Amino acid sequence: MESSYKQAVDSPSRQLLWELGQLRIDADEDFYSRLERETRERERTHRAALAAAAAEHERVRQGAEIARERFQLELDQERKRREDEERNELDRKRQEKAVQELEQRRREIERARKAELDRKKAEDDIKTLEDAEVARKAQKQKNDEAEAQRRAAKEDADKKVRTDALLAPAVITKQPQPPADSQPAQQPKQLTADATSSKALPSAKQQAPGLGKVGTDKEAIHKRYLDIHQRLKQLRKFMVDQSKRNPALKAKMGDMRRKIKKCLGQLTKDAKDNQAVIRQIIDVLLEARNFAEPKIDVRQFLLSKSTDTVPPNGEGPALLLYLINIFAKAVISQFINEAGVKPEAADPIGIVAVTVLARPEFQWQGRPLTGILNAKFHVVCPVLWGIYGNEKTSLGKQRLGWSREEPEGAFVTEQRHNERMTGLGAGFAAISLRDFKKSRYENPYPNVNYWQAMASIVNVPPLEVTQTHFVVLKAMTENYEEKFLRLFGSAALAALKRALVDLPKSVQQKSVAQSAISVLPDIIKRDKRLTLTA
């Protein structure tokens, strides 16, 4: 609608008022117009910001969804991986169990097969031994018949001589005298020697039955064993020379030597574990027995030179003799190093020694090769055979078995010497007091060796008895009283009294070893309920 002030042109004031009003209207319109534009612009900006926020929100949501899906995928993959691992582990365990069951079954079959082979071998060995026993009995019967015939012929000859003597007494004076070294002349001579040597004892009443003087030929026997020991050294040199010419022999010989030493070092108190060690040593020696070359005369390692039980050439596998020598040396070394500090450790070593030497496969024509072991005992512990000497001199120490720190060097200390003698004394008892009543083999080291060793020591002249004799005697008897009594009965009781009571009293010069052996009767009385003193 048209303003009334606009038509009032006749009035300037109205015109002015109109114009002012128009200006105000224009200003308001401009203001509202600008406000509307700003509002629309702000709305557009807000909508754009909302759209951008929505788009960002959507982008974040999609990213989160993707991350969730990725994480879920990783979880699924990890779960699947674990399931696969568990399944694979289960399959592996099942396979291992199957393999173990198969291995166990194989071992059982192998054990059964081995047991069957051992049974057959034992049956064969028994049959062989039975055949040998039958042959031995047949030979013995044949020898007995020949001896009976010889005695009958001798009796007839003696009867004829007596008849001729009655008819012609003068003929007797012309008969030749029997040879001085014949057997009838030897017996009175031996009795005289024993009677003379018995004067060295403090009192004849102190002797146990049978525990008399050792023979006067002990020095000769000792020297013969020392000679065997020298020949064993020559055997080692001979085998070294042979191995240089034969590389295969050298490798085999070295492996066998090391295995024997290793096995002896693995002995324990467990008899079952030790059986496996014995089996390994026997297997090594059986393998060596099959080596045909080189050969060597076995008779030079036997104490007796008699050839009535060996072939004319007397040859045998040198490798077997060499390894038995290594075995004996290792046994002696174990006695010294193990039993010297712990005497009870000698027992399993002694069991291994006699078990191996008792095997017929390692004997020569039925004779065990214990001379090799004895030769080493004669070198390291000669007092076992009644050898004595002055411990204050080098020669005396050497005769008594004192070792040196190095060849031609100083002797070992007294403590070390006593440890060595303790181990060797206990070791000798462990070998010589074995009971073979339940064994299918014969004892290669008869129990009489123990008796003879004790007799040799207790019959040393009192002025010649040294601390070494007491140390060895104590080691031989301590922990072995029951075996000695079980094997020799009441004679062993008398022998123990002679060795542990009478001998220490008969020696004037006191020593630590003498005092130690003097208390053994009290210990035996306390622990074994056995009285040795009067």
Side-chain angles (χ1 to χ4, degrees):
M1 185 178 72
E2 191 76 18
S3 174
S4 60
Y5 293 103
K6 187 176 181 181
Q7 296 177 1
V9 292
D10 56 339
S11 176
S13 58
R14 287 184 178 181
Q15 181 67 30
L16 181 58
L17 184 61
W18 178 83
E19 288 178 355
L20 289 173
Q22 192 64 37
L23 286 173
R24 181 177 179 84
I25 291 172
D26 291 340
D28 289 339
E29 288 178 355
D30 184 61
F31 169 76
Y32 286 116
S33 176
R34 189 171 63 255
L35 181 62
E36 185 177 357
R37 284 197 307 271
E38 289 177 358
T39 300
R40 284 197 303 269
E41 182 65 23
R42 191 176 293 111
E43 180 182 0
R44 186 183 64 78
T45 302
H46 287 171
R47 289 184 182 278
L50 289 173
E56 180 65 18
H57 182 269
E58 182 64 19
R59 185 185 66 78
V60 171
R61 187 190 65 78
Q62 290 180 355
E65 185 68 23
I66 293 173
R68 185 191 66 78
E69 292 178 356
R70 184 182 297 113
F71 180 71
Q72 185 64 38
L73 182 61
E74 290 177 355
L75 289 178
D76 293 341
Q77 291 176 346
E78 179 67 17
R79 179 180 54 77
K80 185 178 180 182
R81 184 184 64 78
R82 290 181 180 177
E83 291 176 353
D84 292 341
E85 287 182 353
E86 291 176 357
R87 184 167 54 253
N88 293 337
E89 180 68 15
L90 184 60
D91 293 341
R92 186 184 64 79
K93 289 182 178 180
R94 287 174 180 171
Q95 292 176 0
E96 287 182 355
K97 184 178 179 182
V99 170
Q100 290 175 357
E101 291 176 351
L102 289 175
E103 183 66 19
Q104 179 68 19
R105 181 172 178 79
R106 186 191 67 77
R107 284 197 296 267
E108 290 176 356
I109 294 173
E110 183 66 20
R111 280 197 296 268
R113 186 182 67 81
K114 187 176 180 181
E116 181 66 18
L117 292 176
D118 291 343
R119 185 185 63 79
K120 291 182 179 179
K121 188 175 184 303
E123 291 177 353
D124 294 341
D125 291 343
I126 292 173
K127 187 176 183 303
T128 303
L129 291 174
E130 290 176 349
D131 294 342
E133 182 66 17
V134 170
R136 187 186 65 79
K137 289 181 179 179
Q139 183 65 31
K140 185 176 182 299
Q141 183 178 359
K142 184 177 178 181
N143 293 340
D144 292 343
E145 292 175 355
E147 180 68 16
Q149 293 176 0
R150 187 186 67 77
R151 289 179 180 176
K154 186 176 182 300
E155 289 177 359
D156 293 341
D158 292 343
K159 184 177 181 181
K160 186 175 183 303
V161 170
R162 287 193 297 270
T163 303
D164 292 343
L166 290 173
L167 295 176
V171 178
I172 298 178
T173 60
K174 299 180 182 180
Q175 293 295 328
Q177 295 296 324
D181 59 348
S182 63
Q183 187 65 25
Q186 280 184 352
Q187 292 175 354
K189 182 179 180 181
Q190 182 64 38
L191 290 174
T192 303
D194 289 344
T196 303
S197 62
S198 65
K199 294 178 181 179
L201 294 174
S203 172
K205 295 180 180 179
Q206 292 178 351
Q207 288 214 14
L211 202 64
K213 273 288 193 180
V214 293
T216 56
D217 59 344
K218 65 181 180 183
E219 291 286 352
I221 294 175
H222 180 57
K223 184 178 184 305
R224 289 173 66 181
Y225 272 117
L226 295 182
D227 292 340
I228 290 176
H229 189 263
Q230 291 300 319
R231 288 193 286 273
L232 290 171
K233 290 185 176 181
Q234 296 171 6
L235 170 63
R236 290 200 300 270
K237 185 176 183 301
F238 169 75
M239 291 303 296
V240 170
D241 294 339
Q242 290 293 319
S243 66
K244 291 179 181 178
R245 303 172 189 173
N246 188 343
L249 174 64
K250 181 178 181 180
K252 205 68 178 175
M253 189 171 72
D255 291 341
M256 290 177 169
R257 181 183 69 250
R258 286 186 290 271
K259 189 169 185 179
I260 288 175
K261 291 182 178 180
K262 183 191 73 172
C263 288
L264 281 172
Q266 294 175 342
L267 294 176
T268 64
K269 293 182 180 179
D270 192 334
K272 292 183 179 179
D273 292 343
N274 292 343
Q275 286 298 320
V277 173
I278 294 174
R279 182 72 256 174
Q280 293 181 50
I281 295 175
I282 290 176
D283 290 342
V284 171
L285 295 178
L286 286 175
E287 184 179 359
R289 184 171 177 265
N290 295 327
F291 274 73
E293 296 294 338
K295 290 185 179 295
I296 197 168
D297 191 346
V298 182
R299 292 174 296 182
Q300 60 181 314
F301 306 109
L302 302 175
L303 182 63
S304 174
K305 295 291 185 180
S306 174
T307 58
D308 55 353
T309 59
V310 296
N313 58 7
E315 289 187 342
L319 181 58
L320 176 61
L321 268 293
Y322 169 79
L323 290 177
I324 289 179
N325 179 41
I326 294 297
F327 172 71
K329 185 177 180 180
V331 167
I332 294 293
S333 178
Q334 287 295 105
F335 283 150
I336 292 173
N337 296 324
E338 299 292 336
V341 180
K342 193 176 182 182
E344 56 268 25
D347 208 51
I349 304 171
I351 292 174
V352 173
V354 294
T355 302
V356 171
L357 294 175
R359 298 278 296 202
E361 301 93 329
F362 311 138
Q363 298 180 0
W364 184 249
Q365 299 296 316
R367 298 176 63 179
L369 298 175
T370 50
I372 295 176
L373 184 60
N374 266 345
K376 298 188 179 301
F377 265 119
H378 270 270
V379 172
V380 296
C381 193
V383 298
L384 288 167
W385 285 268
I387 303 300
Y388 53 83
N390 187 352
E391 279 191 307
K392 296 181 180 179
T393 66
S394 296
L395 181 60
K397 285 186 174 182
Q398 186 173 345
R399 281 179 55 80
L400 291 170
W402 278 71
S403 178
R404 295 180 183 269
E405 297 288 354
E406 56 185 19
E408 304 302 326
F411 288 102
V412 297
T413 63
E414 182 177 343
Q415 179 182 353
R416 178 55 182 156
H417 171 69
N418 291 340
E419 287 178 357
R420 286 169 56 86
M421 294 300 107
T422 298
L424 292 168
F428 185 84
I431 291 177
S432 56
L433 287 180
R434 301 254 69 91
D435 189 352
F436 267 66
K437 292 179 182 177
K438 297 181 180 180
S439 175
R440 66 176 183 268
Y441 301 126
E442 292 187 8
N443 190 346
Y445 213 86
N447 307 131
V448 70
N449 286 284
Y450 182 88
W451 183 276
Q452 291 173 347
M454 181 175 286
S456 298
I457 295 176
V458 301
N459 287 295
V460 170
L463 295 178
E464 301 293 345
V465 176
T466 63
Q467 179 157 301
T468 299
H469 292 93
F470 284 123
V471 171
V472 173
L473 189 59
K474 179 177 182 292
M476 286 175 58
T477 54
E478 193 173 20
N479 302 320
Y480 289 96
E481 311 91 339
E482 292 183 0
K483 290 183 179 180
F484 188 30
L485 290 166
R486 187 165 59 248
L487 291 170
F488 289 92
S490 58
L493 187 63
L496 287 173
K497 179 180 181 297
R498 175 76 176 91
L500 305 182
V501 179
D502 297 339
L503 179 63
K505 290 181 179 179
S506 68
V507 177
Q508 300 296 327
Q509 186 177 359
K510 305 302 180 182
S511 65
V512 175
Q514 181 187 17
S515 302
I517 202 172
S518 298
V519 302
L520 271 184
D522 296 331
I523 296 176
I524 293 174
K525 182 178 180 180
R526 182 195 66 195
D527 297 341
K528 311 295 183 183
R529 300 292 188 270
L530 188 64
T531 303
L532 299 180
T533 57

